[in-house]
Amino acid sequence: MKEKLEALKVEALAKLQEVTDPQVLNDLRVKYLGKKGELTEVLRGMGGLSAEERPVIGQVANLVRSAIEEIISTKQEVFQQQETLGRLQAEKVDVTLPGRSLPQGGIHPLNRVVQEIEDIFIGMGYKVAEGPEVETDYYNFEALNLPKDHPARDMQDSFYLTDDLLMRTQTSPVQVRTMQAMNGEVPVKIICPGKVYRRDDDDATHSFQFHQIEGLVIGSNIRMSDLKGTLNQFVKEMFGPSTGIRLRPSFFPFTEPSVEVDVSCFKCGGDGCRLCKQSGWLEILGAGMVHPNVLRMGGYDPEKYSGFAFGMGVERIAMLKYGIDDIRYFYTNDMGFVKQFKGI
Ligand code: PHE
């Protein structure tokens, strides 16, 4: 029996010595020391030994067991260290590597201009209002003093969806919606940025879809001078402190009197250049005193209240401000174009 044990020890140690894989090591541990392992198998025969032999063999068996256990635990330790080392190697971080820059988006030039204009008017106490792009004939035209068959409807070729629904041709319907929502309360002081649609052929200065910003103020004693002062302040903040405005008579069905507003050319200071076509002035918006019929339809008594309104094209302002000569650049998503506005 003793020889058996010695042979087992020699065999086990030789095999364990060669192990290079933790899984194999574990298999061998089970093979020799497990419940059904070879050492247990040999010890099971101890029952047949004499009382003198038993402690001797028992001692030998214990020595064999501890020899095997020792080599297993040494091996386990080595494997553990190798694993840790491997993980450290694999997870090594080179802190001296230069950082990888992530692509970063920018604000589209049109949104930038809208935000800038919003900021200026919010600074003057205005609120930002919104309205639907699919509008009823009533809000887009009728309530703005443009009854059916009114010739001025031709000024704005429309996309009709049904007899009564169209893509709004202007942001002015938000004037009426705001007045109705305010329920006769004053003051009303809003701007409304948004998309508008017209049946135009696209070219360098026209697009079937573009953006406007509407403004509306209603209160007691609102006068033309308030409109003029407001717009004068606006252009100074938007185009520079040395710019100013001039008003030219015009016509809109929903304002009376109506004006076309020009800003003095911020490029040449009014002397005349290519941008202002030598005139010294740039046309930027339409405006006027809210027509009494419009006030009435919005729920305000024109005997008690008055107001002004204005509307400007965002693309036109962006084109003037950044020297862009084709409106189509705004919509074609040419990265070379939009990237130029990233840091402005
Ligand atoms: N809605 C007009 C247009 O699209 C602009 C405008 C708005 C004029 C408000 C006067 C007052 O041309």
Side-chain angles (χ1 to χ4, degrees):
M1 192 152 204
K2 194 176 166 194
E3 289 77 46
K4 248 191 189 168
L5 284 168
E6 289 296 345
L8 184 66
K9 180 177 156 189
V10 172
E11 183 204 309
L13 293 191
K15 281 204 171 145
L16 285 164
Q17 205 63 258
E18 283 167 19
V19 174
T20 53
D21 180 278
Q23 184 58 48
V24 177
L25 182 68
N26 195 47
D27 290 347
L28 287 176
R29 186 182 59 78
V30 175
K31 176 174 152 73
Y32 294 118
L33 306 179
K35 263 200 201 124
K36 292 178 185 157
E38 290 180 23
L39 184 63
T40 323
E41 196 64 33
V42 176
L43 293 181
R44 209 164 278 149
M46 277 179 61
L49 295 176
S50 65
E52 296 85 54
E53 275 178 317
R54 213 176 286 158
V56 182
I57 295 298
Q59 206 179 7
V60 176
N62 278 338
L63 286 174
V64 171
R65 169 179 286 277
S66 57
I68 295 175
E69 277 174 352
E70 197 183 306
I71 188 164
I72 287 176
S73 80
T74 314
K75 280 268 170 186
Q76 272 172 342
E77 225 164 276
V78 171
F79 288 150
Q80 196 81 49
Q81 276 170 6
Q82 280 174 351
E83 198 205 314
T84 313
L85 208 68
R87 187 144 14 102
L88 283 176
Q89 286 287 342
E91 293 173 4
K92 196 161 93 179
V93 175
D94 182 353
V95 291
T96 66
L97 271 180
R100 243 169 285 168
S101 68
L102 296 171
Q104 202 184 2
I107 298 173
H108 192 277
L110 285 180
N111 282 335
R112 192 178 284 281
V113 168
V114 169
Q115 283 174 9
E116 218 175 311
I117 297 174
E118 280 180 0
D119 281 351
I120 294 171
F121 282 100
I122 287 169
M124 294 196 251
Y126 285 65
K127 294 223 153 52
V128 177
E130 274 181 18
E133 286 172 32
V134 174
E135 211 20 302
T136 61
D137 186 273
Y138 175 77
Y139 284 111
N140 196 79
F141 290 129
E142 292 231 29
L144 289 165
N145 205 28
L146 273 132
K148 295 233 172 4
D149 306 324
H150 192 291
R153 283 193 178 206
D154 291 347
M155 281 162 70
Q156 304 181 355
D157 279 330
S158 323
F159 287 115
Y160 273 90
L161 303 172
T162 67
D163 278 352
D164 189 46
L165 284 179
L166 70 157
M167 302 308 290
R168 67 177 175 194
T169 60
Q170 48 187 353
T171 41
S172 302
V174 186
Q175 286 188 32
V176 185
R177 288 183 176 277
T178 304
M179 283 190 260
Q180 288 182 352
M182 289 292 285
N183 238 330
E185 299 264 318
V186 285
V188 175
K189 246 178 133 180
I190 55 124
I191 55 161
C192 161
K195 282 197 193 98
V196 300
Y197 301 81
R198 291 194 194 172
R199 222 148 32 77
D200 256 334
D201 287 330
D202 288 6
D203 62 23
T205 51
H206 294 84
S207 169
F208 70 94
Q209 176 220 276
F210 58 102
H211 298 75
Q212 285 189 333
I213 295 186
E214 193 81 11
L216 175 70
V217 171
I218 297 174
S220 4
N221 264 325
I222 300 292
R223 292 168 297 199
M224 192 88 179
S225 51
D226 297 311
L227 170 64
K228 200 173 169 188
T230 302
L231 294 178
N232 202 36
Q233 180 61 26
F234 163 67
V235 299
K236 285 188 193 313
E237 290 189 41
M238 190 72 194
F239 299 106
S242 56
T243 55
I245 56 166
R246 76 172 178 188
L247 308 184
R248 286 178 291 113
S250 184
F251 171 79
F252 298 103
F254 32 88
T255 46
E256 182 58 35
S258 301
V259 289
E260 208 80 60
V261 181
D262 298 340
V263 59
S264 58
C265 183
F266 48 83
K267 196 157 186 201
C268 62
D271 297 340
C273 67
R274 226 169 64 94
L275 185 68
C276 58
K277 300 200 181 82
Q278 309 305 329
S279 72
W281 295 95
L282 299 161
E283 183 188 323
I284 54 158
L285 55 86
M289 301 308 290
V290 182
H291 195 289
N293 286 348
V294 176
L295 282 172
R296 217 172 281 123
M297 281 186 274
Y300 288 85
D301 179 358
E303 299 297 325
K304 265 171 77 185
Y305 298 114
S306 54
F308 65 75
F310 55 86
M312 58 186 113
V314 178
E315 279 80 352
R316 174 151 172 83
I317 290 182
M319 286 168 84
L320 290 172
K321 190 160 171 156
Y322 298 123
I324 298 161
D325 56 14
D326 195 320
I327 196 170
R328 289 167 292 198
Y329 280 126
F330 291 123
Y331 316 118
T332 40
N333 292 329
D334 174 342
M335 290 308 280
F337 172 74
V338 287
K339 271 187 180 166
Q340 297 176 68
F341 299 91
K342 234 164 111 173
I344 297 179

